[in-house]
Structure formats: structure tokens, C-alpha cells
């Protein structure tokens, strides 16, 4: 995967996502080697950089056993893992995650060719780069080409030449992202799907839910590796890739507040993506698309940093980076969204089309479950095709042989769709204010959200765990399904509302009816 600055965000692959990677030890090892460990015995720290250049740099705050010393962090990564593995996650750049999965596929193909423990009956994966899926429809039988079994026809286009080609198969897995053409085919091409009369096209309509993070805009600047951070005494400290940094600006207004956020990376010789996340009404989106204009604006916002200097060799960002940043398009956080339908099946159940990942659900990165939910979809689909329990992966004694494609896809949809529904609810309420949105309504919303978080934590402590924590904290336990998490959250909410209404009702009776507490 080529490095794309516009997609230079990082994934946090937690225990839910690692359910897939751990099925393939070589893939899991690549993740461990290329990721920065988070959760449990973390191998990084976080440092807040104040805007005022006269203020000394505060010490970093360790996350787990991490520190600002590279040797400390290396020791933490290489040392024994005493924490429960379910708490461990790994920070890894998007392109590195794609690369390691692609490498695993290629290495598996080489082992299969050598006959190294992989038989030809296990199938092969052929990667076709530079191709775009246009649409997916049921294959038709013609007089010149008899199709023995029900099949699906996939039309793809070469992105370089524009040439189209068709492929016949029995199963299509639509993992083509938030603007999925596979989903669009299922939703809009009703005429072509008449030969599959059981297909309900309406279930592939996307339901969208606005959250406080919906519509936030993101752009990334590229910092050089080991960039210096100025201190108040004229010295500088060298940044370290495994540490997390938050650069605080002097701007505090609702339309000029901004921060730089850097997440941990394993490679200390790579550029660091520095994310800027703001509301669409922010002043930076009104600036002229000129590198000098942006450079001047950010220098005023971050007076500590050497952004606009006479000596260009000491500038934190080269002029070319500012020109690229000024002209680059921003990325907008999507609404929390899902479609209720995940699969379409042929009449005899011999062929089908199924959706996974962003093709059937998407949301802003507040809860850190995006990539993990997609990987969990793949695990669930694989289990359904094998005929084992979709939730646990254990064999079901009641089931016999491996199910037909159609039966497996219906099972996947039946089990996974309610889980996705609960996940989208979690995405709406889990942690939508973590970007410090500066509008006054955002500040009020964040205060209410924090109050709810603290209340549920206190009740959880006071009841010795009977009342659950806030739903985002509950989601850290991979043994719990999202359905169970949200069901417990709803029960707690109903109980709190009931107590509040009972208290109000009693207060009214006491005031106007003189109703005694004890009769």
C-alpha cells in the first residue's frame, strides 16, 4: 500500500480486532513487531506541549510502563507481558496495517507453491491492484455459456486503461468501504436482481445518525522524524516516535481553537502525521489556499514552535509541506451509519453477496472500534461459512456438515446485524467530545457527558460492579458483545430515569398534597 498523506491516520487494533490476526500467527507477529503496544503494559507516554514559549516543558505522563526515554520504551516492548492479553492493543499506521496483511497473503502464496504445509485444496488469494469494482449482479445463463450453478457476476474496471472485465463466482464479499459499489448494486439494481426474488433491496439503504463529531474536518501535516521541541531555556528535546504529543495553541475562541495531536508509531525514522481536527466553521477553512498564509496563521497559534523563521533550515515544516497542506482536501468525519441488510442470497442458496466493514457500517473514530469492527465482521463471516458458532467460534453439535453459501450468509446476517446496530448506538454516545470541539454547545455537551461518565463510575464502585460502567469503558472487555453492553447501559438509564421521576413525583405530592413519606 502506497503512503497517502490524506489517509495517514493510525489504527488501534484491540483484542476484538486481534481475534482475526491471532488466527494467523505470522500476521499477529507482524502486528506485534510493527505496532506500539497500548493498553495494559503500554510502551508509550503522553506529553502536553504548552503554547507559551516562556513556560517550561512539563514532564511526560507515562501510559502503562512507558517513558520518554527510548530505551525505557524499548524495554517495555521487549519485556514480559504480565497483563491480561485482552487489554493489549497496538497502534499502527494505516498503510503499515495494509502492508502487513498484503505481505502475509503473498508469503502464504509462496508457501503454498512450495507445498510448505498449505495444500492446493485450501484455495489461493490473487491480489489485483489498480482495479475498481463497478457493480455486482446475478449471472445470467446464455445460449453460448451454460452456467451449471447459480453465480454472481462482478464487473471491474482497470483504473489506468479504463478497460472493463467480468468475473464469475459464487460468493462476493463487499469490503469496498463507505462508498461501496457492492452495496449500491444491492440497493439500486432491482431489475438485475429479479432472478433473486427474495432480495429485499430496501434493507441496503443506509441509515445515518448525526453525532457531536459528525462533520468535523481533518487535515494532516507531516512532521520530520525526531523533530525538536523547544524548551523555555533555549534548549530543545528530541521527540520520540513511540510517545504521544499534544501541542496546545494559544487560541481559545470557538472559531480559532486548534491543537496538534500526534499518536505513537514504532518507526523513529519515519515522518509523523500531525492531525488538525476542527469544526467546518473554523477560521482555517476560510484561509486562502496558500502555504504562506497557513504558515503565518499557525505560527501565531503556536508561538513556541519554529514555524515561520528566517533560517529555513530550522523551520519545523518545509515550505513544500505548507503548500501541500494548503491545497490538500480535508477529510470529514461521517455520521454514524449502517444498513440493516448484510447479505443477498440466490434462490437455491448456491451463491450470494455479503457486506463487511465500512460497506455496511461506518462512524467517526471516537470509540476506536472502526478497524476492529471490520476485522470482527470477517471473523464472523468466516465462522458462518465454516458452520461454527458465529459468536464463540466453537463447533455446534446440532449442526452437521459445512453449510451452503446461502445458509451461511443468512446466519451471518442474523447474528451480526443486531451487533452492528448496538455498535452504532455505542458510536453515537461513547466518546463524541474527545476532540475538544470549541463551540459553546459542545462545551455544554461535554460537561453533561463527563457528568454521566462520573455518575456511572461512582455507581459501579458503590454497587461493587452490579451497575455497569459507562458503555465505552464496558466496551474494553472483548468478551462482552456490543448488544450486551448497550442493553446494560439502557437498563441503567431506565433505572436512573425511574428514580428521578419517582423523586420528582414524591416532591410534588409532598408540596401540594402533603403526602407523607411513611403511612
Amino acid at each position: 500500500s502506497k503512503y497517502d498523506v490524506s489517509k495517514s491516520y493510525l489504527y488501534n487494533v484491540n483484542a476484538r480486532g486481534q481475534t482475526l490476526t491471532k488466527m494467523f500467527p505470522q500476521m499477529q507477529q507482524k502486528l506485534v513487531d510493527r505496532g506500539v503496544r497500548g493498553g495494559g503494559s503500554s510502551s508509550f507516554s503522553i506529553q502536553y506541549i504548552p503554547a507559551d514559549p516562556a513556560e517550561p516543558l512539563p514532564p511526560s505522563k507515562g501510559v502503562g510502563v512507558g517513558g520518554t526515554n527510548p530505551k525505557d520504551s524499548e524495554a517495555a516492548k521487549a519485556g514480559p507481558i504480565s497483563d491480561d492479553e485482552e487489554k493489549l492493543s497496538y497502534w499502527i499506521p494505516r498503510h503499515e496495517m495494509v502492508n502487513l496483511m498484503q505481505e502475509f497473503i503473498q508469503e502464504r502464496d509462496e508457501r503454498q507453491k512450495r507445498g510448505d504445509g498449505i495444500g492446493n485444496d485450501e484455495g489461493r488469494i490473487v491480489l489485483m491492484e489498480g482495479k475498481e469494482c463497478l457493480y455486482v449482479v446475478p449471472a445470467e445463463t446464455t445460449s453460448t455459456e451454460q452456467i451449471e450453478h447459480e453465480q454472481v457476476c462482478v464487473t471491474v474496471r482497470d483504473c489506468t486503461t479504463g478497460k472493463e472485465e467480468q468475473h464469475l463466482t459464487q460468493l462476493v464479499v463487499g469490503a469496498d468501504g463507505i462508498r461501496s459499489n457492492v452495496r449500491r448494486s444491492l440497493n439500486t439494481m432491482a431489475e438485475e436482481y429479479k432472478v433473486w426474488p427474495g432480495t429485499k433491496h430496501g434493507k441496503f439503504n443506509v441509515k445515518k445518525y448525526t453525532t457531536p463529531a459528525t462533520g468535523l474536518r481533518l487535515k494532516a501535516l507531516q512532521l520530520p522524524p525526531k523533530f525538536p521541541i523547544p524548551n523555555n531555556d533555549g534548549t530543545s528535546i528530541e521527540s520520540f516516535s513511540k510517545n504521544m504529543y499534544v501541542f496546545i495553541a494559544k487560541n481559545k475562541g470557538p472559531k480559532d481553537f486548534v491543537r496538534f495531536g500526534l499518536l505513537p508509531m514504532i518507526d523513529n525514522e519515519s515522518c509523523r502525521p500531525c492531525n488538525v481536527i476542527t469544526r467546518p466553521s473554523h477560521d482555517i477553512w476560510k484561509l486562502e489556499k496558500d502555504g504562506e498564509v497557513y504558515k503565518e496563521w499557525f505560527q501565531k497559534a503556536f508561538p513556541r514552535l519554529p514555524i515561520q523563521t528566517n533560517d529555513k533550515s530550522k523551520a519545523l515544516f518545509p515550505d513544500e509541506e505548507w503548500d501541500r497542506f494548503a491545497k490538500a482536501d480535508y477529510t470529514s468525519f461521517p455520521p454514524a451509519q449502517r444498513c440493516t441488510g448484510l447479505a443477498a442470497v440466490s434462490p437455491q442458496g448456491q451463491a450470494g453477496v455479503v457486506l463487511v466493514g465500512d460497506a455496511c457500517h461506518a462512524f467517526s473514530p471516537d470509540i476506536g472500534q472502526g478497524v476492529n469492527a471490520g476485522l470482527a465482521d470477517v471473523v464472523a463471516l468466516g465462522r458462518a461459512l465454516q458452520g461454527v458458532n458465529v459468536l464463540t467460534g466453537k463447533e455446534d453439535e446440532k449442526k452437521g456438515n459445512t453449510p451452503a453459501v446461502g445458509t451461511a450468509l443468512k446466519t451471518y446476517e442474523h447474528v451480526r446485524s443486531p451487533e452492528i446496530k448496538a455498535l452504532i448506538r455505542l458510536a453515537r454516545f461513547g466518546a463524541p467530545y474527545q476532540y475538544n470541539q470549541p463551540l459553546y454547545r459542545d462545551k455544554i455537551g461535554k460537561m453533561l457527558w463527563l457528568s454521566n461518565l462520573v455518575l456511572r463510575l461512582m455507581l459501579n464502585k458503590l454497587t461493587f460492579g452490579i451497575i455497569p460502567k459507562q458503555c465505552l469503558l464496558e466496551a474494553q472487555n472483548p468478551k462482552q458483545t456490543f448488544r450486551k453492553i448497550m442493553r446494560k447501559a439502557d437498563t441503567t438509564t431506565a433505572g436512573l430515569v425511574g428514580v428521578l421521576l419517582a423523586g420528582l413525583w414524591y416532591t410534588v405530592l409532598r408540596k401540594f398534597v402533603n403526602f407523607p413519606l411513611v403511612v
Side-chain angles (χ1 to χ4, degrees):
S1 174
K2 294 182 180 180
Y3 181 66
D4 184 349
V5 176
S6 66
K7 297 179 180 178
S8 58
Y9 38 82
L10 279 81
Y11 290 146
N12 183 252
V13 185
N14 61 26
R16 296 180 190 271
Q18 289 177 65
T19 304
L20 173 66
T21 57
K22 287 180 178 179
M23 294 168 63
F24 309 98
Q26 296 92 342
M27 184 189 297
Q28 176 67 15
Q29 189 59 50
K30 290 178 184 292
L31 176 63
V32 172
D33 292 342
R34 302 183 191 184
V36 176
R37 198 167 69 209
S41 292
S42 302
S43 58
F44 67 92
S45 63
I46 183 170
Q47 187 170 17
Y48 291 88
I49 311 300
D52 186 356
E55 187 177 343
L57 291 175
S60 59
K61 300 177 181 179
V63 180
V65 298
T68 55
N69 188 330
K71 295 182 180 179
D72 293 341
S73 292
E74 287 292 347
K77 183 173 179 63
I81 299 174
S82 58
D83 298 75
D84 187 344
E85 286 192 4
E86 293 174 350
K87 298 178 182 179
L88 292 178
S89 62
Y90 293 92
W91 289 99
I92 184 169
R94 172 190 174 276
H95 69 283
E96 281 293 342
M97 186 66 186
V98 175
N99 282 341
L100 75 82
M101 298 181 80
Q102 184 172 343
E103 287 173 15
F104 170 76
I105 291 171
Q106 293 170 340
E107 290 168 3
R108 181 188 181 278
D109 184 49
E110 290 298 322
R111 292 199 308 273
Q112 188 177 39
K113 289 178 181 178
R114 296 194 306 265
D116 185 8
I118 303 176
N120 291 326
D121 59 338
E122 294 188 38
R124 289 185 59 198
I125 300 174
V126 179
L127 296 174
M128 297 189 300
E129 298 185 22
K131 306 283 187 179
E132 176 191 15
C133 173
L134 296 180
Y135 49 86
V136 176
V137 296
E140 297 182 0
T141 302
T142 66
S143 57
T144 58
E145 183 181 43
Q146 295 296 319
I147 301 177
E148 296 181 359
H149 304 287
E150 295 171 318
Q151 290 185 303
V152 186
C153 181
V154 183
T155 301
V156 300
R157 177 173 58 198
D158 189 298
C159 296
T160 302
T161 65
K163 182 180 178 181
E164 295 184 8
E165 56 188 61
Q166 294 182 328
H167 300 271
L168 295 178
T169 183
Q170 287 182 278
L171 174 62
V172 174
V173 180
D176 52 340
I178 193 170
R179 297 177 180 84
S180 170
N181 280 337
V182 178
R183 185 189 65 234
R184 181 185 59 80
S185 299
L186 293 169
N187 183 218
T188 63
M189 303 183 74
E191 187 66 28
E192 288 78 2
Y193 277 86
K194 279 185 176 180
V195 294
W196 290 9
T199 304
K200 297 179 180 179
H201 300 280
K203 70 180 183 178
F204 298 105
N205 285 326
V206 176
K207 295 184 177 182
K208 298 182 179 181
Y209 307 89
T210 300
T211 77
T214 297
L216 288 175
R217 294 179 179 179
L218 178 149
K219 262 193 183 185
L221 279 162
Q222 298 296 297
L223 281 163
K226 304 177 185 178
F227 64 88
I229 304 175
N231 209 338
N232 66 326
D233 58 1
T235 63
S236 297
I237 66 169
E238 184 179 283
S239 61
F240 179 52
S241 66
K242 290 183 183 176
N243 288 345
M244 183 185 295
Y245 298 97
V246 178
F247 290 84
I248 301 171
K250 72 174 187 178
N251 302 352
K252 305 299 180 184
K255 293 189 177 182
D256 65 358
F257 172 86
V258 69
R259 282 186 175 187
F260 284 157
L262 284 77
L263 293 171
M265 295 170 52
I266 194 71
D267 188 357
N268 203 36
E269 302 298 328
S270 293
C271 292
R272 299 285 299 275
C274 173
N275 293 327
V276 179
I277 302 174
T278 69
R279 286 281 186 194
S281 57
H282 197 279
D283 288 346
I284 64 171
W285 309 118
K286 303 172 186 176
L287 296 177
E288 180 183 351
K289 290 189 175 183
D290 180 86
E292 289 297 324
V293 174
Y294 274 85
K295 185 164 62 173
E296 181 181 357
W297 193 94
F298 277 97
Q299 181 63 84
K300 292 178 180 179
F302 297 94
R304 174 183 293 272
L305 302 180
I307 293 176
Q308 198 173 33
T309 62
N310 293 327
D311 186 352
K312 293 187 180 296
S313 64
K314 295 182 179 180
L316 191 59
F317 304 95
D319 290 343
E320 295 79 11
E321 176 60 14
W322 283 113
D323 290 337
R324 183 205 63 78
F325 181 80
K327 297 173 183 176
D329 291 331
Y330 56 81
T331 299
S332 291
F333 286 179
Q337 60 188 59
R338 69 182 180 93
C339 57
T340 57
L342 304 181
V345 177
S346 64
Q348 301 302 319
Q350 296 174 338
V353 183
V354 65
L355 302 177
V356 299
D358 286 356
C360 57
H361 55 74
F363 41 87
S364 54
D366 322 334
I367 60 174
Q369 295 291 347
V371 65
N372 299 295
L375 296 176
D377 289 342
V378 176
V379 171
L381 177 59
R383 289 171 175 174
L385 291 168
Q386 291 172 336
V388 300
N389 188 292
V390 174
L391 293 176
T392 65
K394 297 180 180 179
E395 292 187 11
D396 193 337
E397 295 180 357
K398 297 180 181 179
K399 294 183 179 180
N401 299 326
T402 302
V405 169
T407 302
L409 298 192
K410 289 178 181 179
T411 300
Y412 165 77
E413 182 179 65
H414 176 74
V415 177
R416 194 66 186 157
S417 186
E419 185 73 352
I420 290 172
K421 180 180 180 181
L423 171 62
I424 293 301
R425 290 197 62 228
L426 174 65
R428 294 169 64 189
F429 307 116
Y433 294 103
Q434 64 173 278
Y435 308 103
N436 292 298
Q437 297 96 311
L439 299 183
Y440 295 118
R441 71 170 186 267
D442 295 322
K443 294 180 179 180
I444 295 172
K446 185 174 183 178
M447 180 180 65
L448 294 173
W449 179 85
L450 282 173
S451 300
N452 176 63
L453 174 68
V454 172
L455 174 62
R456 294 185 188 236
L457 278 174
M458 291 176 58
L459 291 174
N460 178 261
K461 295 289 186 182
L462 293 173
T463 60
F464 301 98
I466 295 176
I467 294 178
K469 303 174 186 176
Q470 196 257 9
C471 56
L472 182 64
L473 301 179
E474 287 288 317
Q476 306 308 309
N477 179 3
K479 293 182 179 179
Q480 293 194 86
T481 64
F482 291 120
R483 280 177 287 175
K484 183 177 181 180
I485 292 168
M486 296 312 297
R487 188 163 55 243
K488 292 197 298 184
D490 291 341
T491 301
T492 302
T493 300
L496 292 173
V497 171
V499 170
L500 177 63
L501 292 177
L504 290 174
W505 180 245
Y506 175 74
T507 302
V508 171
L509 290 178
R510 288 279 291 175
K511 184 171 183 178
F512 296 103
V513 187
N514 195 28
F515 186 75
L517 178 61
V518 179
V519 180

